[in-house]
Amino acid sequence: MNKSTERIILGIDPGTVIMGYGIISVQGNHLKLIQADILQLNKSDHHLDRLKLIFETVTDLIQQYHPDELAIEEPFFGKNVQSMLKLGRAQGVAMAAALNRQIPVFGYSPRLIKQSITGKGSASKEQVSAMLQRLLHFKETPVFHDATDAVGVALCHYFQSGQMEVIKSDKPKKSISGKAAKSYTGWEAFVQDNPKRAK
């Protein structure tokens, strides 16, 4: 695979007990799931040790997969201030690991991620996971939703960056009508123009 035409996106679902990560490859018009897994942080009792492990893990993922961008889920507003503070730190450490390697970082709200993947901002984690399976053609569903959530963040970034080209014929960059392939900014827009392909 030619790295010059390949785009690797690392998605992170930050957490203080479990951090999900997902890596997708975009080459031309083709999407591929490279990796989806979790980092369990509850083996360490100290919050600072967990932050260190997050930084080291994200750094290792960057060294192994060489992502072009990092997409991360932004913490939602919660009533527990201490939990929000810890989650914000976890997010910040993951972001710092990417920025330390000059990798651009993009943040997305949980609602926007669900909207981009399923067309519904109120979709359940199960609905997001099922749609990801259809879009990325993987059979085995990760045990933890944190992993598929992270894949969703990466795919949301792809949609939001406006670089989703839909090819309807074998000829590169041409549609079945002979016109240039159309770009979409999300799954909902794609479905509206391609109802048969979304079945």
Side-chain angles (χ1 to χ4, degrees):
M1 187 175 285
N2 187 352
K3 177 62 179 176
S4 64
T5 61
E6 182 186 24
R7 179 181 174 197
I8 303 294
I9 304 172
L10 169 59
I12 296 288
D13 178 28
T16 56
V17 177
I18 296 176
M19 181 191 84
Y21 60 88
I23 304 163
I24 65 172
S25 165
V26 181
Q27 188 173 33
N29 218 52
H30 302 284
L31 298 172
K32 179 182 178 182
L33 176 64
I34 297 177
Q35 179 65 277
D37 209 341
I38 61 164
L39 169 65
Q40 289 187 306
L41 299 161
N42 53 3
K43 295 179 180 178
S44 177
D45 294 328
H46 201 286
H47 183 60
L48 293 179
D49 289 336
R50 295 184 184 190
L51 295 179
K52 180 175 181 286
L53 186 56
I54 291 171
F55 186 88
E56 292 173 344
T57 300
V58 174
T59 298
D60 288 344
L61 290 171
I62 291 169
Q63 290 177 335
Q64 183 175 357
Y65 295 103
H66 307 288
D68 298 288
E69 297 139 324
L70 181 140
I72 191 164
E73 181 175 309
E74 295 177 338
F76 57 88
F77 180 77
K79 294 182 179 180
N80 189 321
V81 177
Q82 286 299 318
S83 295
M84 288 300 300
L85 177 61
K86 290 181 178 179
L87 184 58
R89 288 174 176 171
Q91 182 198 36
V93 166
M95 294 168 64
L99 294 172
N100 189 47
R101 297 301 181 95
Q102 288 76 51
I103 296 173
V105 174
F106 302 85
Y108 299 96
S109 70
R111 184 173 183 82
L112 180 57
I113 294 166
K114 293 175 182 179
Q115 176 76 28
S116 295
I117 304 303
T118 69
K120 289 179 58 179
S122 59
S124 67
K125 289 181 179 290
E126 290 78 12
Q127 288 173 316
V128 171
S129 179
M131 186 59 72
L132 288 171
Q133 282 186 292
R134 290 174 60 185
L135 293 172
L136 294 170
H137 310 292
F138 61 90
K139 295 181 180 180
E140 292 185 12
T141 304
V143 176
F144 294 91
H145 283 299
D146 306 81
T148 48
D149 285 350
V151 176
V153 180
L155 193 57
C156 171
H157 172 63
Y158 173 56
F159 287 144
Q160 293 300 316
S161 62
Q163 297 186 29
M164 180 185 177
E165 291 185 339
V166 180
I167 307 297
K168 297 182 180 178
S169 72
D170 294 331
K171 295 182 180 180
K173 298 185 180 180
K174 292 289 183 179
S175 69
I176 198 167
S177 63
K179 297 179 181 179
K182 186 174 181 179
S183 293
Y184 296 90
T185 56
W187 176 248
E188 190 173 28
F190 170 65
V191 171
Q192 287 177 352
D193 279 2
N194 303 272
K196 293 181 179 180
R197 294 191 61 174
K199 291 181 179 180

